[in-house]
Amino acid sequence: MDVIKRYMQFVKPYGWQIIGTLLIGIIKFGIPLLIPILIKYVIDDIVGNGSMTTAEKQHQLLMILGGMFVLFIVLRPPIEYYRQYFAQWTGSKILYDIRDGLFSHIQKLSFKYYANTRAGEIISRVINDVEQTKNFVITGLMNVWLDGATILIAIIIMLTMDVKLTIVSLIVFPFYGLSVRYFFGNLRKLTRVRSQALAEVQSYLHERVQGMSVIKSFAIEDYEQTQFEAQNKNFLRRALDHTRWNAKAFAVVNTITDIAPLLVVGYAGYQVIHGELTVGTMAAFIAYVDRLYNPLRRLVNSSTTMTQSIASMDRVFELLDEKYDITDREGAKEVSKVKGHIVFDHVDFAYDENEEEVLHGIQLDVKAGETVALVGMSGGGKSSLVSLIPRFYDVTSGRILLDGTDVRDVKVRSLRDHIGMVLQDNILFSESVKSNILLGKPHATEEEVIAAAKAANAHDFIMGLPQGYDTKVGERGVKLSGGQKQRVAIARVFLKNPPILILDEATSALDLESEHLIQGAMEKLAKDRTTFIVAHRLSTITHADRIVLIEHGRIVESGTHDELMKKKGGYYRLFQVQQLDA
C-alpha cells in the first residue's frame, strides 16, 4: 500500500532500534513458552515417575521451580522494561518527526488554503491523526511480528511433541484468515469516516471557544447547545457504525479461536484413553493451544488498531499533499538591499480562477520612501492590493516590481523579511508582551525591545502591567485593549525595521486617545520607508505624499490631499461626507 510505503520513510531512520526491540521482544515472549514444557515434565517425569521416591520427586520439583523463578524474577522484568521503553521511545520519535514536518508544511500553505479550511480540522490531523499512526509502529512493526514469532515458536515445539495433534490445533487457521480478511476490509473506510466526524466536532468546538464572547453577548447558549448536539450526534452515529462492525468481527473471530482448544481437548483425550499420548503431553498441548490462540486474538485487536492507523495515515498524508499556491520560482534570488521602489504593472487579481476579479488593470508607481494612502469604499480592493506585495497571493495577470525585479523572482521569505505590516486586527499570541514584540526580530536584545516599545508609545502602558514586559497577554491578546494591542504590533515592526511598510486599517477600530498615540507612532515608523496606508478615516492620511482612490477594483483618482480636494471628485465627496459625520 502506498500510504504504508510513505509512512515507512519516517520509520526508516529508526530501523536498528525497531530490530533491537523485536529481538528483546522475542526473548520476552519466548520465556513463557517454557511453561507448557515445564507442565509436561512435572506430570510425566516427576509426578508420574514410579521409579523415584517421594523425597527425590520433591527435590527435583524444587530444583526446576527454583530455576524458573530465577528466570521469571531476575531476567524477565528488565527484558520487559527495555522492550516497552524502546518501543514507546521509537514510536514517540517517529511522531515527533511527522509533526515537525507537518508544522513546517502548514507554515508554507497559502492564505487561500486557510481561508477555505477550518483551524480545528488542521489541529485534528496534526494531533489526533498523527497520534493514531503511532499504533502502526508499536502494533504493526513490533507486536504483530512478536505475536507471529510466538505462534511460529509454539508450532515448532508442538510439532516436536506430536504432529497429528499439532495439525488438529491448526485446523481452524484458514477460517480465521478468511474472517479477518472479510471483516477488516471495510473497517478502514468506516474508521476514516469516524475520524472525519471527530475532526468536525473538534473544528466546531475550536470556533465556538474562540467566539464565546459572541455566544454570551447574544445569549444564544441554548441554540449553540442544539448545534453542538447535531455535530456530536453525527460523530456518535459514525462511531457506532464503526463499533458495530468491529464487534461483529470480534464475535466471529473469537468464536473460531475458541473452537480450537475444544478440538485439541477432544482429540488429545481420545489419544490418552487409548494409551497413544501421555497426560503430561496432553496438558502441555492444551497450554500451547492457549499460547497459540492468544496471539491470534491479539492479532484481531492489532488488525483493528492497524486499520485505524492506516485511516489516520490517509488523513495525515492528505494534509501533507496540499499544494503550495505561493512558491519560489526556479532561480529565485535572495534580496539583501531593498530601496523600496514598487511598481504595479497592469495588475489584475482574482482570489480564485473561478471567481470574479477584484482588481483590474492596476498601474501604480511608488517611489522609494514615498507614503501612499489607499482610500475608497469597503470592498473596493484596497486590502487585496496590499496583500499582493508580500505575495500572500499572486497576481492573476500583470506583475509587481520591487526595485525593478518581479516579486515572483525573489524568494518569498527574503521578500517578506523586508516588509512590515500593521493590520486592523493584529494577532497576539498568548505568551508575554516581550515574546510578542520579539516576533519582529526573534534574537533582539532586551534593550532593542524596550527601544522599539518606546518608539511605538507602548513602553509606559507595558510598565504598568502586573509583570511588565513578562506579562502574559492571553489568547489573541484578550487581556489588552485594542489600542494596546496595536501599539505592541507597531513595536514589533519597529524592531524588525523593514524598508517597506503596510498599514492596513490600523486605527479604524480605536478610540480617539489610542488613535492619537498610534498615529504618532505610525508617522514616526513611516519616516524614510516606502509606506502603504489603507485607511477608512480620511482625516488620518491627509499628510500622505499621494492618495489613491480605488473603486470597484480600479484606480479612479490619484494625487495629494490638496490636489484631490481642488479636483472635487470622488475623494472630495468622501471627505465631505466624513467631515459632516464627524
Side-chain angles (χ1 to χ4, degrees):
M1 291 165 80
D2 286 345
V3 72
I4 292 176
K5 273 186 195 169
R6 288 184 68 181
Y7 195 82
M8 290 303 288
Q9 295 303 309
F10 290 100
V11 175
K12 216 174 182 180
Y14 304 99
W16 286 111
Q17 285 91 333
I18 289 171
I19 290 167
T21 307
L22 282 172
L23 292 173
I24 294 170
I26 288 168
I27 298 167
K28 183 255 178 187
F29 281 104
I31 291 172
L33 291 175
L34 296 172
I35 290 176
I37 295 173
L38 176 69
I39 292 168
K40 179 185 182 305
Y41 180 78
V42 169
I43 292 171
D44 288 347
D45 298 336
I46 299 177
V47 176
N49 192 334
S51 61
M52 290 172 71
T53 64
T54 303
E56 285 173 331
K57 286 179 183 180
Q58 197 171 305
H59 175 74
Q60 195 75 11
L61 184 63
L62 287 171
M63 286 288 289
I64 196 150
L65 282 176
M68 293 303 283
F69 269 106
V70 169
L71 195 62
F72 275 87
I73 292 169
V74 177
L75 187 62
R76 198 164 182 267
I79 288 172
E80 175 63 24
Y81 169 81
Y82 284 111
R83 189 193 81 81
Q84 286 288 348
Y85 175 79
F86 287 128
Q88 293 296 331
W89 181 90
T90 306
S92 298
K93 286 288 281 181
I94 290 165
L95 260 56
Y96 168 85
D97 292 344
I98 295 170
R99 285 205 181 101
D100 227 33
L102 272 173
F103 188 73
S104 173
H105 173 70
I106 63 177
Q107 287 195 99
K108 293 173 189 169
L109 291 170
S110 69
F111 275 57
K112 189 190 287 185
Y113 175 79
Y114 289 105
N116 297 322
T117 310
R118 296 200 291 183
E121 172 77 20
I122 299 166
I123 293 164
S124 179
R125 295 193 189 210
V126 176
I127 303 300
N128 298 345
D129 287 310
V130 171
E131 194 65 35
Q132 281 288 342
T133 69
K134 184 180 181 180
N135 293 324
F136 174 76
V137 181
I138 306 294
T139 303
L141 297 180
M142 294 182 189
N143 292 357
V144 167
W145 289 102
L146 290 173
D147 284 332
T150 305
I151 291 165
L152 188 63
I153 294 166
I155 290 170
I156 290 167
I157 295 170
M158 289 162 77
L159 283 168
T160 61
M161 292 165 69
D162 191 296
V163 175
K164 282 183 186 175
L165 201 49
T166 305
I167 293 167
V168 170
S169 304
L170 302 177
I171 211 160
V172 298
F173 259 50
F175 299 103
Y176 168 85
L178 288 169
S179 61
V180 167
R181 184 170 178 181
Y182 171 73
F183 282 106
F184 291 97
N186 198 35
L187 204 59
R188 181 177 172 187
K189 183 186 165 190
L190 289 170
T191 306
R192 232 183 109 81
V193 170
R194 179 182 171 278
S195 297
Q196 181 60 36
L198 180 61
E200 283 166 13
V201 172
Q202 187 160 339
S203 294
Y204 189 89
L205 191 61
H206 182 265
E207 285 180 348
R208 266 49 189 184
V209 168
Q210 281 196 319
M212 195 54 72
S213 57
V214 176
I215 292 170
K216 287 182 177 297
S217 64
F218 283 93
I220 52 170
E221 288 90 343
D222 292 344
Y223 171 77
E224 283 300 327
Q225 185 68 42
T226 308
Q227 296 296 102
F228 182 74
E229 277 173 14
Q231 295 280 347
N232 211 9
K233 257 182 197 155
N234 179 51
F235 171 65
L236 177 63
R237 259 195 318 273
R238 305 303 181 192
L240 290 177
D241 286 345
H242 181 274
T243 302
R244 211 172 286 117
W245 195 256
N246 213 18
K248 283 179 189 173
F250 274 93
V252 172
V253 171
N254 285 341
T255 300
I256 290 168
T257 53
D258 287 342
I259 289 168
L262 297 176
L263 295 174
V264 170
V265 169
Y267 186 67
Y270 175 83
Q271 283 187 306
V272 170
I273 290 165
H274 288 83
E276 295 169 13
L277 196 73
T278 65
V279 175
T281 306
M282 178 184 170
F285 248 92
I286 292 167
Y288 271 122
V289 168
D290 191 48
R291 295 285 188 275
L292 188 66
Y293 281 95
N294 266 344
L296 279 180
R297 290 186 192 100
R298 280 200 301 271
L299 284 174
V300 177
N301 277 319
S302 300
S303 300
T304 307
T305 306
M306 289 280 285
T307 306
Q308 288 172 340
S309 295
I310 291 165
S312 290
M313 282 181 208
D314 285 335
R315 286 168 50 76
V316 168
F317 289 123
E318 195 173 68
L319 177 56
L320 271 174
D321 288 339
E322 282 291 339
K323 298 283 187 290
Y324 303 137
D325 290 321
I326 308 297
T327 53
D328 290 330
R329 278 180 178 173
E330 202 173 323
K333 298 169 189 165
E334 298 270 352
V335 283
S336 49
K337 287 187 178 178
V338 169
K339 292 176 186 171
H341 180 201
I342 294 174
V343 177
F344 289 80
D345 182 16
H346 295 90
V347 167
D348 296 330
F349 173 64
Y351 281 99
D352 207 302
E353 55 188 31
N354 303 320
E355 292 178 7
E356 205 177 313
E357 286 183 348
V358 293
L359 296 173
H360 317 275
I362 299 292
Q363 283 190 273
L364 185 62
D365 189 333
V366 181
K367 300 289 184 286
E370 189 178 1
T371 294
V372 173
L374 305 173
V375 301
M377 299 296 283
S378 294
K382 306 181 295 295
S383 294
S384 299
L385 185 69
V386 293
S387 69
L388 299 176
I389 301 167
R391 289 189 70 199
F392 292 155
Y393 303 91
D394 270 338
V395 299
T396 305
S397 64
R399 57 188 185 150
I400 297 171
L401 303 174
L402 171 62
D403 297 338
T405 304
D406 191 324
V407 291
R408 290 168 296 186
D409 293 324
V410 173
K411 288 188 176 176
V412 176
R413 285 280 296 280
S414 175
L415 172 68
R416 291 174 187 167
D417 277 343
H418 294 87
I419 299 171
M421 299 189 77
V422 182
L423 310 175
Q424 181 178 349
D425 182 22
N426 285 286
I427 302 293
L428 297 188
F429 296 127
S430 58
E431 290 111 28
S432 66
V433 173
K434 182 182 174 184
S435 299
N436 276 285
I437 296 173
L438 279 169
L439 294 174
K441 187 181 172 186
H443 304 296
T445 63
E446 193 162 343
E447 289 74 21
E448 288 175 305
V449 170
I450 292 168
K454 283 179 176 174
N457 293 330
H459 179 71
D460 291 344
F461 94 75
I462 293 170
M463 292 310 291
L465 295 172
Q467 281 90 41
Y469 281 84
D470 294 319
T471 304
K472 305 276 186 197
V473 300
E475 192 166 355
R476 297 176 70 89
V478 291
K479 293 180 183 176
L480 302 181
S481 71
Q484 289 171 335
K485 281 203 286 187
Q486 289 298 72
R487 280 179 273 167
V488 170
I490 291 167
R492 65 189 177 199
V493 178
F494 265 113
L495 191 61
K496 186 175 184 179
N497 194 25
I500 300 165
L501 187 61
I502 296 170
L503 307 171
D504 190 354
E505 301 274 18
T507 63
S508 64
L510 304 177
D511 57 73
L512 288 172
E513 187 183 350
S514 294
E515 185 182 351
H516 175 70
L517 286 166
I518 287 165
Q519 196 65 39
M522 289 198 307
E523 284 176 21
K524 202 188 303 177
L525 183 60
K527 198 177 177 192
D528 301 323
R529 303 176 206 270
T530 305
T531 304
F532 291 84
I533 304 173
V534 175
H536 176 69
R537 210 172 290 167
L538 303 185
S539 59
T540 62
I541 49 88
T542 53
H543 67 284
D545 298 318
R546 197 170 4 150
I547 296 165
V548 176
L549 176 64
I550 298 176
E551 289 181 357
H552 307 299
R554 300 179 191 278
I555 294 175
V556 293
E557 284 180 12
S558 178
T560 63
H561 170 73
D562 291 337
E563 287 168 355
L564 293 177
M565 289 300 285
K566 281 175 191 168
K567 198 173 178 182
K568 295 198 174 180
Y571 175 79
Y572 173 83
R573 286 191 297 276
L574 270 178
F575 196 83
Q576 291 297 104
V577 168
Q578 285 198 8
Q579 291 299 101
L580 284 170
D581 287 347

